[in-house]
Amino acid sequence: MSRVLASSAPARAALNGASLNASITRIVRPAMVKASKITNQKRDHSACCGPHLRSYATHSDLPSSEQNLSFVLKKKGEVTFEDRPIPKLTSPYDVLVNVRWTGICGSDVHYWQHGAIADFVVRAPMVLGHESSGTVTEVGEKVTSVKVGDRVAMEPGIPCRRCPRCKEGKYNLCVDMRFAATPPIDGTLAKYYVLPEDFAYKLPENMSFEEGALMEPLSVGVHINKQAGTKQGQTVVVFGAGPVGLLCATVAKAYGANKIVVVDINEERLAFAKKYAATHTIVSKKQSAAETAAQIIKECDIVEGADVVMDATGAEPCIQAGIHVLRAGGTYVQGGMGKPDIMFPIGAAGAKELNIKGSFRYDAHDYETAIGLVTSGRVSVKELVTKKVKFTDAEEAFEDVAASRGIKILIEGVPDRRDSATA
Amino acid sequence: MSDQEQDKLKQNPSFVLRAIKDVAFEDRPVPKLRDDHDVRVHIAQTGICGSDVHYWQKGRIGDFILESPIVLGHESAGTVVEVGSAVKYVKVGDRVAVEPGVPCRPDTIFAATPPWDGTLSKYYIVAADYTYRLPDHVSMEQGALVEPVAVAVQITKVANIRAGQTVVVFGCGPIGALCQAVAKAYGATKVIGVDVVQSRLDFAKSFGADGVFMSSRAEAGVDAVEHSENVAALIAKKFNLGDGADVVLECSGAEPCIQAGVFVTKKGGTYVQAGMGKENVLFPITTACIRALNIKGSIRYTTGCYPAAVDLVASGKIDVNRLITNRFKFEQAEEAFELVKAGRSDVLKVIIEGVQ
């Protein structure tokens, strides 16, 4: 059950600097209205390499009557804030987390803009978001691995634990997976979120909440590299310099790959990739896939072909070029999602005896690996955060991601005022 | 009250290990489903394993120590009599093999490993996804043998046995014999069984082995390791193994077999320790190093083993009926255990019928 946030007009005005009728559902607002709220911040963050902090007011301007303020996708194109009941623990092994930071993924934006991804259709209002970190505020009576006050990275997909895939450890392939912000399961853009203790990973002392929120996409990068079998000494080509492509590249680097080539159409993203993890970058051109492959091999001084290709674009020309740039016996991993059916160079795949795998989310030990990579300093994720916004400015963050502005935008959580340390 | 009337009052007769060497029959309450995913099985047949006997006689295996009474038994098949509300693929009346170990959901439970109760009761509660339907033509006795077949399946999985390989199996008891049969079913070209008891070798030759070898104990004054090396050389020579076997499955736990097993594995080959004997043995570590052996342990079974085992039995590829040498009624359970304990060479698998 949810009710539209109903508070006094003055409180609302304080919230977002515009006067609103409390009962009106907010719709996608034109960019112009947004700009009037923002004072002296540049809108285009695509070239920046460091956290771009807005100066935001303290949290005292949030109405204190709320229990569990949530950012809800009512239906395609329509988002709103709702106060929902604080979720209850579902088992003695659950924990309640006060969400501190949430990153946005292309899938969140896609549900907002299109209302569906493949067979997952938004049929009822759904809380968005799934890349989060937070503080444990309550633990079930049998919880032993975390305690109240612990800072955790949150793994947002809970599998059934009973099916053959779960029992193999490939729980990302569970037929009954309940994944945050994949309909009909609510996401983490709320004050509180409940999850089983074994899906809440304690953050080491030297990791911030912001880095904790990056563990979800980093786990995706870890999993893609795991599927690829990336190892020391290899030549790796990554198609796509968005957040996932960048994270694939940096994990490959941590795993000892000698040559990491990142390919994109966006030169600013490539410039960032070069500073971040790539040894070489290639600007994609309109040419045949074979020509692209030849260009990569020539310009990056690759003998025979790449050992590994990871696609983080889903774009047909990239997929084709990826197959052609591999050496015989190489490995191709499809991480990106674009057109469901494409023209695929099956002849080359067969004759070159390629290993071709899909990669979907993450499975056993990927989150621990991700945290281990960051806490040990082998991977750095801080520089991917290009903007941070307040919870009530969540929609702005969605618009930025939709327009490919910046790299990773984080939405701040709603603080739990019971814990003064989080204020 | 007549015996009949008294029997009717019994809800869930159980064969309980109360303390070391102290077993008794107890009537326990009919167990309840723990959650919506559980089923209750009326146990029909239960085979006895060396571990059951070991807990009875010694009260511990490694870190698992008998501290309070447990029901014994874990190799069972039965009929489902109750299903939880979330159970999708199992229904009342289904005849099933029961997988007795359920990991971390939330506790890791293994039937008849302290402190968990085993299956030698009228009823047993288990998660539905740990039961496997038996085709109609598979008997409950065969169903009870699925568990040791699953052990053999896991051993061959760990060993990565493939078509065309040569395999030497030390030990021709139930597990050794089943490993030989499973290796053959999975395409191994040459499977050799080794033991010190002729009748077991005779059985193995008729069951799954292509050839058998009668091993010998070292004579007094002879260096034990040297003797094991000689045994290995004799095996390799007799069966034309050349450099050695691709795979060795050690299913006896006996130190001389472990040594001979390492010595008879070819360079780059795989040695799997499945048998459990002395915890620490004199091990030819340098041979293992120089030959670049892959040495692995194997314990119980993992995901996929039970369905594979049911298939091996149901398809007739492995005739488990031939392993059953002795049958007892539930009330004779202690006698059954005594028989297994006696370790007679003409006894292979002993099974106990369930409470009717």
Side-chain angles (χ1 to χ4, degrees), chain B residues 332-348:
Chain B
Q332 300 167 304
E334 189 168 355
E335 208 183 310
F337 270 70
E338 288 287 358
L339 180 62
V340 177
K341 178 182 152 224
R344 285 168 27 193
S345 54
D346 59 331
V347 172
L348 281 167

Side-chain angles (χ1 to χ4, degrees), chain B residues 216-338:
Chain B
S216 59
R217 294 183 169 90
E219 283 157 20
V222 174
D223 175 66
V225 175
E226 214 180 282
H227 178 80
S228 299
E229 254 189 285
N230 291 335
V231 167
L234 286 170
I235 295 172
K237 183 155 185 238
K238 180 173 178 189
F239 297 102
N240 290 318
L241 298 178
D243 179 33
D246 296 307
V247 170
V248 167
L249 305 178
E250 210 303 305
C251 299
S252 77
E255 188 173 40
C257 295
I258 293 170
Q259 294 164 353
V262 171
F263 289 124
V264 84
T265 313
K266 72 165 195 206
K267 286 186 200 162
T270 298
Y271 170 98
V272 178
Q273 187 61 49
M276 293 193 235
K278 274 199 309 185
E279 292 201 15
N280 295 288
V281 298
L282 196 61
F283 190 83
I285 191 73
T286 301
T287 300
C289 161
I290 292 178
R291 292 197 195 171
L293 300 185
N294 304 291
I295 296 170
K296 306 187 191 186
S298 182
I299 180 74
R300 294 174 179 154
Y301 21 76
T302 55
T303 190
C305 287
Y306 253 76
V310 170
D311 182 64
L312 284 165
V313 171
S315 64
K317 290 198 187 85
I318 300 191
D319 183 4
V320 291
N321 283 321
R322 296 190 52 214
L323 283 170
I324 303 173
T325 49
N326 307 86
R327 295 169 171 80
F328 290 88
K329 293 232 171 298
F330 189 79
E331 301 75 44
Q332 300 167 304
E334 189 168 355
E335 208 183 310
F337 270 70
E338 288 287 358

Side-chain angles (χ1 to χ4, degrees), chain A residues 93 161-162 164 167-168 176, chain B residues 37 88 105-106 129-130 303:
Chain A
Y93 296 93
R161 306 186 197 254
R162 291 171 199 284
K167 289 202 273 209
E168 279 169 352
D176 288 322
Chain B
H37 295 274
K88 283 197 276 209
R105 286 190 344 211
D129 57 313
Y130 281 79
T303 190

Side-chain angles (χ1 to χ4, degrees), chain A residues 91-318:
Chain A
S91 99
Y93 296 93
D94 275 353
V95 300
L96 183 69
V97 179
N98 170 223
V99 180
R100 288 300 298 267
W101 286 101
T102 302
I104 303 171
C105 165
S107 65
D108 297 303
V109 171
H110 201 95
Y111 282 119
W112 173 48
Q113 293 183 321
H114 300 281
I117 294 179
D119 295 332
F120 292 104
V121 179
V122 180
R123 298 201 159 96
M126 175 183 85
V127 178
L128 289 167
H130 58 272
E131 304 180 3
S132 296
S133 63
T135 307
V136 177
T137 57
E138 197 184 323
V139 297
E141 52 191 39
K142 291 204 178 159
V143 169
T144 52
S145 61
V146 289
K147 55 188 195 309
V148 171
D150 278 349
R151 305 175 319 123
V152 295
M154 297 156 62
E155 184 173 352
I158 312 305
C160 80
R161 306 186 197 254
R162 291 171 199 284
C163 68
R165 303 290 78 79
C166 279
K167 289 202 273 209
E168 279 169 352
K170 293 188 199 287
Y171 59 79
N172 55 328
L173 307 178
C174 172
V175 291
D176 288 322
M177 167 64 84
R178 296 169 55 86
F179 199 89
T182 288
I185 310 299
D186 282 326
T188 58
L189 272 167
K191 185 170 178 182
Y192 296 106
Y193 194 78
V194 167
L195 68 168
E197 66 171 314
D198 57 316
F199 285 82
Y201 304 86
K202 256 185 78 157
L203 289 176
E205 289 299 313
N206 68 349
M207 278 178 67
S208 63
F209 280 115
E210 288 90 330
E211 288 168 304
L214 269 286
M215 290 305 94
E216 202 275 353
L218 179 58
S219 294
V220 171
V222 163
H223 191 71
I224 292 173
N225 273 274
K226 186 160 94 180
Q227 289 294 89
T230 309
K231 39 188 214 278
Q232 63 277 7
Q234 287 188 323
T235 294
V236 165
V237 177
V238 179
F239 286 85
V244 173
L246 292 169
L247 289 166
C248 283
T250 198
V251 171
K253 180 174 159 195
Y255 287 1
N258 266 353
K259 216 172 260 187
I260 300 157
V261 182
V262 176
V263 184
D264 204 298
I265 50 175
N266 182 323
E267 295 193 49
E268 287 175 40
R269 286 190 158 185
L270 285 178
F272 178 86
K274 190 81 194 291
K275 277 194 277 194
Y276 185 59
T279 56
H280 301 72
T281 55
I282 298 278
V283 185
S284 230
K285 297 204 281 261
K286 256 199 162 50
Q287 59 191 347
S288 75
E291 284 167 331
T292 301
Q295 177 197 354
I296 295 170
I297 286 171
K298 182 158 185 255
E299 289 181 22
C300 305
D301 237 339
I302 295 173
V303 177
E304 194 197 338
D307 299 298
V308 164
V309 165
M310 296 182 270
D311 178 79
T313 68
E316 188 174 53
C318 295

